[in-house]
Coordinates of all heavy atoms in Angstrom, one line a residue:
W1 N 0.9 -1.2 0.0 CA 0.0 0.0 0.0 C 0.9 1.2 0.0 O 1.9 1.3 0.8 CB -0.9 0.0 1.2 CG -2.0 -1.0 1.2 CD1 -2.1 -2.2 1.7 CD2 -3.3 -0.8 0.5 NE1 -3.2 -2.8 1.4 CE2 -4.0 -2.0 0.7 CE3 -3.9 0.3 -0.2 CZ2 -5.3 -2.1 0.2 CZ3 -5.1 0.1 -0.7 CH2 -5.9 -1.1 -0.5
Y2 N 0.6 2.2 -0.9 CA 1.2 3.4 -1.0 C 0.2 4.6 -0.8 O -1.0 4.3 -1.0 CB 1.9 3.6 -2.3 CG 3.1 2.7 -2.5 CD1 3.0 1.3 -2.6 CD2 4.4 3.2 -2.6 CE1 4.0 0.5 -2.8 CE2 5.5 2.4 -2.8 CZ 5.3 1.0 -2.9 OH 6.4 0.2 -3.0
R3 N 0.7 5.7 -0.5 CA -0.2 6.9 -0.4 C 0.4 8.1 -0.9 O 1.7 8.3 -0.9 CB -0.7 7.1 1.0 CG 0.4 7.6 2.0 CD -0.2 7.6 3.4 NE 0.8 8.1 4.4 CZ 0.5 8.1 5.7 NH1 -0.6 7.7 6.2 NH2 1.5 8.6 6.6
Q4 N -0.4 9.0 -1.5 CA 0.0 10.3 -2.0 C -0.9 11.4 -1.5 O -2.1 11.4 -1.8 CB 0.1 10.3 -3.5 CG 0.7 11.5 -4.1 CD 0.9 11.4 -5.6 OE1 0.3 10.5 -6.3 NE2 1.8 12.2 -6.1
A5 N -0.3 12.2 -0.7 CA -1.0 13.4 -0.2 C -0.9 14.5 -1.2 O 0.0 14.5 -2.0 CB -0.4 13.8 1.1
P6 N -1.9 15.5 -1.2 CA -1.9 16.6 -2.1 C -0.5 17.3 -2.1 O 0.0 17.7 -1.1 CB -3.0 17.5 -1.6 CG -3.9 16.5 -0.9 CD -3.0 15.5 -0.3
G7 N 0.1 17.5 -3.3 CA 1.3 18.2 -3.4 C 2.5 17.5 -2.9 O 3.6 18.1 -2.9
K8 N 2.4 16.2 -2.7 CA 3.5 15.4 -2.2 C 3.7 14.2 -3.0 O 2.9 13.8 -3.8 CB 3.3 15.0 -0.7 CG 3.2 16.2 0.3 CD 3.2 15.7 1.7 CE 3.2 16.9 2.6 NZ 3.2 16.4 4.1
Q9 N 4.9 13.6 -2.9 CA 5.2 12.4 -3.6 C 4.6 11.2 -3.0 O 4.2 11.2 -1.8 CB 6.8 12.2 -3.6 CG 7.6 13.1 -4.5 CD 9.0 12.8 -4.5 OE1 9.6 12.2 -3.6 NE2 9.7 13.0 -5.7
R10 N 4.3 10.2 -3.9 CA 3.8 8.9 -3.4 C 4.8 8.2 -2.5 O 6.0 8.2 -2.9 CB 3.3 8.1 -4.5 CG 2.7 6.8 -4.1 CD 1.9 6.1 -5.2 NE 2.7 5.9 -6.4 CZ 2.3 5.5 -7.6 NH1 1.0 5.4 -7.8 NH2 3.1 5.4 -8.6
R11 N 4.4 7.7 -1.4 CA 5.3 7.1 -0.4 C 4.7 5.7 0.0 O 3.5 5.5 0.0 CB 5.5 7.9 0.8 CG 6.2 9.2 0.5 CD 6.6 10.0 1.7 NE 7.4 11.2 1.4 CZ 8.6 11.3 1.2 NH1 9.4 10.2 1.2 NH2 9.2 12.4 1.0
V12 N 5.6 4.8 0.3 CA 5.2 3.5 0.7 C 4.6 3.6 2.2 O 5.1 4.4 3.0 CB 6.3 2.5 0.7 CG1 7.4 2.9 1.6 CG2 5.8 1.1 1.0
V13 N 3.5 2.9 2.4 CA 2.9 2.8 3.7 C 3.2 1.5 4.4 O 3.6 1.4 5.5 CB 1.4 3.0 3.6 CG1 0.7 2.8 4.9 CG2 1.0 4.3 3.0
A14 N 2.9 0.4 3.6 CA 3.2 -0.9 4.2 C 3.3 -1.9 3.0 O 2.7 -1.7 2.0 CB 2.0 -1.3 5.1
V15 N 4.1 -2.9 3.2 CA 4.3 -4.0 2.2 C 4.2 -5.3 2.9 O 4.5 -5.4 4.1 CB 5.6 -3.8 1.4 CG1 5.6 -2.5 0.6 CG2 6.8 -3.9 2.3
I16 N 3.9 -6.3 2.2 CA 3.9 -7.7 2.7 C 4.4 -8.6 1.6 O 4.1 -8.5 0.5 CB 2.5 -8.1 3.2 CG1 2.5 -9.4 3.9 CG2 1.5 -8.1 2.0 CD1 1.2 -9.8 4.6
T17 N 5.4 -9.5 2.0 CA 6.0 -10.3 1.0 C 5.2 -11.6 0.8 O 4.2 -11.9 1.5 CB 7.4 -10.7 1.5 OG1 7.3 -11.5 2.8 CG2 8.3 -9.5 1.8
S18 N 5.7 -12.4 -0.1 CA 5.0 -13.7 -0.5 C 5.0 -14.6 0.7 O 4.1 -15.5 0.8 CB 5.6 -14.3 -1.7 OG 7.0 -14.5 -1.5
D19 N 5.9 -14.5 1.6 CA 5.9 -15.3 2.8 C 5.3 -14.6 4.0 O 5.6 -15.0 5.2 CB 7.3 -15.8 3.1 CG 8.3 -14.7 3.4 OD1 7.9 -13.5 3.3 OD2 9.5 -15.0 3.8
D20 N 4.5 -13.6 3.7 CA 3.7 -12.9 4.8 C 4.5 -12.1 5.8 O 4.1 -12.0 6.9 CB 2.8 -13.9 5.5 CG 1.7 -14.4 4.6 OD1 1.3 -13.7 3.7 OD2 1.2 -15.5 4.8
S21 N 5.6 -11.6 5.3 CA 6.5 -10.8 6.2 C 6.1 -9.3 5.9 O 6.3 -8.8 4.8 CB 7.9 -11.0 6.0 OG 8.7 -10.1 6.7
P22 N 5.6 -8.6 6.9 CA 5.2 -7.2 6.7 C 6.3 -6.2 7.1 O 7.1 -6.5 7.9 CB 4.0 -7.1 7.7 CG 4.3 -7.9 8.8 CD 5.1 -9.1 8.3
N23 N 6.2 -5.1 6.5 CA 7.1 -4.0 6.8 C 6.3 -2.7 6.7 O 5.4 -2.6 5.8 CB 8.3 -3.9 5.9 CG 9.4 -4.8 6.4 OD1 10.1 -4.5 7.4 ND2 9.6 -5.9 5.7
Y24 N 6.6 -1.7 7.6 CA 5.7 -0.5 7.7 C 6.6 0.7 7.6 O 7.8 0.7 8.1 CB 4.9 -0.5 9.0 CG 4.0 -1.7 9.1 CD1 4.4 -2.8 9.8 CD2 2.7 -1.6 8.6 CE1 3.5 -3.9 9.9 CE2 1.8 -2.6 8.7 CZ 2.2 -3.8 9.3 OH 1.3 -4.9 9.4
A25 N 6.0 1.8 7.1 CA 6.7 3.1 7.3 C 6.6 3.5 8.7 O 5.7 3.1 9.5 CB 5.9 4.1 6.4
E26 N 7.7 4.2 9.2 CA 7.7 4.6 10.6 C 6.5 5.3 11.0 O 6.0 5.2 12.2 CB 9.0 5.4 10.8 CG 10.3 4.7 10.8 CD 10.4 3.7 12.0 OE1 9.8 4.0 13.1 OE2 11.0 2.7 11.8
S27 N 5.9 6.1 10.1 CA 4.8 7.0 10.5 C 3.5 6.2 10.8 O 2.6 6.8 11.4 CB 4.6 8.0 9.4 OG 4.2 7.3 8.2
V28 N 3.5 4.9 10.4 CA 2.2 4.2 10.6 C 2.4 3.0 11.5 O 1.5 2.3 11.8 CB 1.6 3.7 9.3 CG1 1.4 4.9 8.4 CG2 2.4 2.7 8.6
K29 N 3.7 2.7 11.9 CA 3.9 1.6 12.8 C 3.1 1.6 14.1 O 3.0 2.7 14.7 CB 5.4 1.5 13.2 CG 6.3 0.9 12.1 CD 7.7 0.7 12.6 CE 8.6 0.1 11.5 NZ 10.0 0.0 11.9
G30 N 2.5 0.5 14.4 CA 1.7 0.4 15.6 C 0.2 0.9 15.4 O -0.6 0.7 16.2
R31 N -0.1 1.5 14.2 CA -1.4 1.9 13.9 C -2.0 1.2 12.7 O -3.2 1.0 12.7 CB -1.4 3.4 13.6 CG -0.9 4.3 14.7 CD -1.1 5.8 14.4 NE -0.4 6.2 13.2 CZ -1.0 6.8 12.2 NH1 -2.3 7.1 12.2 NH2 -0.2 7.2 11.2
F32 N -1.2 0.9 11.7 CA -1.7 0.2 10.5 C -1.3 -1.3 10.5 O -0.2 -1.6 11.0 CB -1.2 0.9 9.3 CG -1.7 2.3 9.0 CD1 -2.5 3.0 10.0 CD2 -1.5 2.9 7.8 CE1 -2.9 4.2 9.7 CE2 -1.9 4.2 7.5 CZ -2.7 4.8 8.5
T33 N -2.1 -2.1 9.9 CA -1.7 -3.5 9.8 C -2.1 -3.9 8.3 O -3.2 -3.8 7.9 CB -2.5 -4.4 10.8 OG1 -2.2 -4.0 12.1 CG2 -2.1 -5.8 10.6
I34 N -1.1 -4.5 7.7 CA -1.3 -5.0 6.3 C -1.4 -6.5 6.4 O -0.8 -7.2 7.3 CB -0.1 -4.7 5.4 CG1 -0.4 -5.1 3.9 CG2 1.2 -5.3 5.8 CD1 0.6 -4.5 2.9
S35 N -2.3 -7.1 5.6 CA -2.5 -8.5 5.6 C -3.0 -8.9 4.2 O -3.4 -8.1 3.4 CB -3.6 -8.9 6.6 OG -4.8 -8.4 6.4
K36 N -3.0 -10.2 3.9 CA -3.5 -10.7 2.6 C -4.1 -12.0 2.8 O -3.8 -12.8 3.7 CB -2.4 -10.7 1.6 CG -1.2 -11.6 1.8 CD -0.1 -11.3 0.7 CE 1.1 -12.2 0.9 NZ 1.0 -13.5 0.4
D37 N -5.0 -12.3 1.9 CA -5.7 -13.6 1.8 C -5.5 -14.2 0.4 O -6.1 -13.7 -0.5 CB -7.2 -13.4 2.1 CG -8.0 -14.7 2.2 OD1 -7.5 -15.7 1.6 OD2 -9.0 -14.7 2.8
N38 N -4.5 -15.1 0.4 CA -4.2 -15.6 -1.0 C -5.3 -16.4 -1.6 O -5.5 -16.4 -2.8 CB -3.0 -16.6 -0.8 CG -1.7 -15.8 -0.5 OD1 -1.5 -14.6 -0.8 ND2 -0.8 -16.5 0.2
A39 N -6.2 -17.0 -0.8 CA -7.3 -17.8 -1.3 C -8.3 -16.8 -2.0 O -8.9 -17.2 -3.0 CB -8.0 -18.5 -0.2
K40 N -8.4 -15.6 -1.5 CA -9.4 -14.7 -2.1 C -8.7 -13.6 -3.0 O -9.4 -12.8 -3.6 CB -10.1 -13.9 -1.0 CG -11.0 -14.9 -0.1 CD -11.7 -14.1 1.0 CE -12.6 -15.0 1.8 NZ -13.3 -14.2 2.9
N41 N -7.4 -13.7 -3.1 CA -6.6 -12.7 -3.9 C -6.9 -11.3 -3.4 O -7.2 -10.4 -4.2 CB -6.9 -12.8 -5.4 CG -6.5 -14.2 -5.9 OD1 -5.5 -14.7 -5.5 ND2 -7.3 -14.8 -6.8

């Protein structure tokens, strides 16, 4: 997931790898959670 605020560059928010390892931007750590459901795509 990426985000772009008005007048700013797009920045990464959170990513998750194929083995379900997440990483977060410092600004959202502890507040946002990324997840995926491979069965539902």
Side-chain angles (χ1 to χ4, degrees):
W1 287 96
Y2 290 69
R3 68 186 181 188
Q4 186 169 20
K8 296 187 177 181
Q9 289 186 327
R10 183 163 54 191
R11 295 189 179 276
V12 61
V13 175
V15 298
I16 187 166
T17 63
S18 56
D19 62 356
D20 289 335
S21 176
N23 277 285
Y24 300 93
E26 284 294 328
S27 59
V28 307
K29 278 184 180 178
R31 300 189 298 125
F32 291 11
T33 302
I34 188 171
S35 62
K36 63 186 177 83
D37 185 332
N38 290 334
K40 296 181 179 179
N41 297 322

